[in-house]
Amino acid sequence: MTTRGASATAVRVAEAVAGEWYGADSSGRLDVPFGVVATLALVNLPVSDHDVAGQLRALGQRDFACWARGVRRSVLNARPDLVHLVYPLMGWLFDAGEAVEATAKSVADAALAAGQLDVTGTLERFDVDLLGIVLTALKAGGATKARAQIYTPTDVADAVAALQFADAEIRFGQSVCDPAVGTGGLFRAAAKILLSRGFDPGDLVWMGCDVDELAIAGAAVNSLLWGLGTDVLLHVGNSLQGDWIKEAQERRAEVLGIASSTRQVKSILGIFSRDEFWRRYDSAN
């Protein structure tokens, strides 16, 4: 699939997701459909080896919700530094009733049928910011708006990244900063260039800020999708007001402290069930 093909698939997925969500006369909370797509993006693939999409579509709504909770726990176990960033996309899993679960499953089926895993489940993930396009369609209020991107279009992001890294010496620990990061479209383009030049994106530091907490949550998920490593610093706020980098560092340190303390208590006492542990983890956040 070419970059143009990946972009076309991303638009098709966004339109299918938005159409299913709004067609079901759902509430205005965009965290549910956007969270579903983000969760599907974290499927452990490659999909070429198995009919993962078919297996997920065959699940009932309750089993799908349980599967999604498992993905959430795996992510937070591996990356506690992202817990406060991705929570807006995953919190619905613990307070959703049957109606929301049913609609969420319908959204997942629509995304899978439209070919989401053909993008997020392959190296095509580096060719397009699918989450950015999906969020745009959802914010626009309908499926036909997916092409009117709010965030940096793919070709523009590629051009900006190419200019930034043109003949530049790339060093371990070098930072890439975007004060209006959205879901991370510029990060995607930069990571793609780094890989093409034989560098590991995880060796750099990635810093981004945006006023939209859903966009930042998408950027956090994308940082996993694009292999940006553990030096990812994201912040919800206005980059023109205050020292957002310092605030983001302080918040991450606080969250990691809570995670460490919670895990130590569980390890020492050994008295919590897995569900109780995660309930307390969520309450502490």
Side-chain angles (χ1 to χ4, degrees):
M1 188 186 300
T2 64
T3 297
R4 180 172 296 180
S7 295
T9 300
V11 169
R12 186 167 64 248
V13 170
E15 293 180 344
V17 167
E20 188 66 34
W21 181 248
Y22 288 107
D25 193 26
S26 300
S27 68
R29 54 182 299 187
L30 301 184
D31 61 311
V32 180
F34 192 47
V36 167
V37 175
T39 302
L40 291 174
L42 295 172
V43 173
N44 187 18
L45 303 169
V47 299
S48 58
D49 297 338
H50 307 283
D51 182 19
V52 178
Q55 293 171 16
L56 290 174
R57 293 178 67 187
L59 294 176
Q61 67 183 60
R62 183 59 55 84
D63 288 339
F64 177 78
C66 289
W67 170 81
R69 291 186 184 101
V71 172
R72 176 184 185 272
R73 288 170 176 160
S74 296
V75 171
L76 300 187
N77 264 326
R79 293 294 303 276
D81 57 306
L82 299 180
V83 60
H84 59 303
L85 300 170
V86 301
Y87 192 86
L89 293 183
M90 298 182 172
W92 68 273
L93 284 166
F94 292 87
D95 62 11
E98 290 187 8
V100 173
E101 284 187 354
T103 308
K105 180 57 166 60
S106 296
V107 168
D109 289 345
L112 291 166
Q116 176 178 337
L117 299 189
D118 292 336
V119 175
T120 57
T122 70
L123 291 179
E124 308 300 332
R125 70 187 70 177
F126 291 99
D127 289 333
V128 65
D129 175 13
L130 180 138
L131 293 184
I133 295 176
V134 169
L135 185 56
T136 296
L138 290 169
K139 283 190 168 188
T144 60
K145 304 295 184 181
R147 293 173 177 81
Q149 285 187 299
I150 295 173
Y151 304 114
T152 309
T154 299
D155 54 349
V156 175
D158 287 340
V160 171
L163 182 63
Q164 179 179 358
F165 288 101
D167 301 322
E169 179 184 356
I170 300 174
R171 305 178 307 280
F172 181 88
Q174 180 178 345
S175 63
V176 179
C177 182
D178 186 351
V181 71
T183 50
L186 287 175
F187 286 178
R188 174 206 59 79
K192 182 178 179 180
I193 288 178
L194 290 170
L195 288 170
S196 70
R197 294 177 59 179
F199 294 94
D200 182 353
D203 288 340
L204 276 67
V205 178
W206 305 84
M207 301 183 292
C209 180
D210 201 279
V211 295
D212 185 344
E213 71 170 4
L214 281 183
I216 286 294
V221 171
N222 274 335
S223 75
L224 299 172
L225 198 63
W226 299 326
L228 302 188
T230 56
D231 284 331
V232 176
L233 196 66
L234 297 169
H235 180 66
V236 178
N238 188 337
S239 61
L240 300 178
Q241 297 177 355
D243 188 345
W244 66 268
I245 294 178
K246 180 180 179 182
E247 291 180 21
Q249 290 171 332
E250 292 174 348
R251 179 60 171 153
R252 181 171 66 178
E254 177 186 6
V255 170
L256 285 173
I258 293 173
S260 176
S261 175
T262 304
R263 287 172 173 173
Q264 287 175 13
V265 168
K266 180 176 182 290
S267 176
I268 293 171
L269 299 181
I271 60 174
F272 298 151
S273 68
R274 184 174 180 82
D275 288 342
E276 174 67 5
F277 166 60
W278 282 105
R279 186 187 68 77
R280 296 186 179 217
Y281 187 100
D282 292 332
S283 297
N285 178 43

